[in-house]
């Protein structure tokens, strides 16, 4: 499993981390297996750990009154953390859950910070991974731009694994449309092909 994670992470970041340093980093993690719909982190829970998605699709949700909204999806090899917890020591704003059977590697905050203190190379890699996250947040705004049909088609083109593995209700929440309208768009797209 470690070799698979290393290959996934090598695709995620353009800074190549020394094999021995990556092995030390990953050795500090514990695999977590999740069922579809299983919550990893509840909103209001304190969890400052780092997670790496190794299989499946993970989503971050928040409540707006009585309405649940999907803010982001994380696919392999996304590395994520709950910023409120990690940086501010506050409970998580988001709920984090698996959209389908998924696996993550849980890296304790203490291990991650120890690696940063002890290895300049690891610190450079961690910064590159953070930069990569900013890029993907920006890319997300490109994908969810335009009208509902354009947003759906952009997701279909850029992230087809989400369309294939995530229930329509969740995708509709992310795109800001009703599940019925999403179903209509999906069926129209099938008829075109």
């Amino acid at each position: 499993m470690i070799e698979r994670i290393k290959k996934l992470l090598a695709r995620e970041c353009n800074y190549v981390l020394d094999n021995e340093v990556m092995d030390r980093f990953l050795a500090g993690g514990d695999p977590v297996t999740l069922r579809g719909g299983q919550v990893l982190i509840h909103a209001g829970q304190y969890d400052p750990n780092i997670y790496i998605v190794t299989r499946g699709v993970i989503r971050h949700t928040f409540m707006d009154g009585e309405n649940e909204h999907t803010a982001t999806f994380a696919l392999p090899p996304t590395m994520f953390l709950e910023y409120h917890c990690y940086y501010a020591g506050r409970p998580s704003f988001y709920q984090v859950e698996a959209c389908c059977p998924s696996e993550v590697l849980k890296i304790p905050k203490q291990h991650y910070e120890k690696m940063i203190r002890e290895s300049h190379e690891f610190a450079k890699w961690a910064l590159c991974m953070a930069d990569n996250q900013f890029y993907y947040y920006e890319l997300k705004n490109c994908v969810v731009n335009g009208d509902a049909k354009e947003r759906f088609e952009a997701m279909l083109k850029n992230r087809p694994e989400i369309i294939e593995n995530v229930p329509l209700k969740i995708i509709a929440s992310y795109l800001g449309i009703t599940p019925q309208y999403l179903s209509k768009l999906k069926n129209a797209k099938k008829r075109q092909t």
Side-chain angles (χ1 to χ4, degrees), residues 30-180:
D30 292 311
V32 178
T33 302
L34 302 161
R35 298 177 317 278
Q38 185 176 351
V39 175
L40 176 65
I41 302 170
H42 290 275
Q45 177 184 341
Y46 176 72
D47 186 333
N49 300 300
I50 313 299
Y51 292 91
I52 301 169
V53 181
T54 58
R55 184 174 67 88
V57 182
I58 304 293
R59 73 177 180 140
H60 285 68
T61 67
F62 66 95
M63 296 300 289
D64 177 15
E66 293 185 19
N67 300 315
E68 178 185 83
H69 296 279
T70 299
T72 62
F73 289 107
L75 303 157
T78 302
M79 194 164 88
F80 69 88
L81 55 94
E82 289 309 296
Y83 293 100
H84 277 78
C85 302
Y86 185 91
Y87 292 107
R90 295 175 48 208
S92 177
F93 171 73
Y94 292 109
Q95 177 163 293
V96 181
E97 67 181 51
C99 294
C100 57
S102 301
E103 293 175 2
V104 296
L105 186 66
K106 178 182 176 180
I107 310 279
K109 177 183 180 182
Q110 297 81 1
H111 177 66
Y112 182 75
E113 290 181 342
K114 181 179 185 219
M115 291 289 302
I116 289 172
R117 282 191 311 274
E118 294 178 356
S119 171
H120 179 70
E121 183 178 356
F122 183 81
K124 286 176 25 181
W125 178 82
L127 178 61
C128 180
M129 288 297 284
D131 289 343
N132 190 46
Q133 292 228 333
F134 289 126
Y135 165 73
Y136 277 107
Y137 284 134
E138 213 171 280
L139 182 63
K140 174 201 170 212
N141 290 332
C142 295
V143 171
V144 294
N145 229 351
D147 65 23
K149 183 179 178 187
E150 292 168 328
R151 293 192 308 270
F152 169 71
E153 288 177 353
M155 179 177 268
L156 195 56
K157 177 183 171 193
N158 296 307
R159 302 313 287 260
E161 58 271 51
I162 293 173
I163 302 290
E164 294 162 6
N165 293 301
V166 176
L168 285 180
K169 176 183 171 188
I170 293 171
I171 296 169
S173 165
Y174 179 73
L175 295 174
I177 58 178
T178 65
Q180 295 80 5

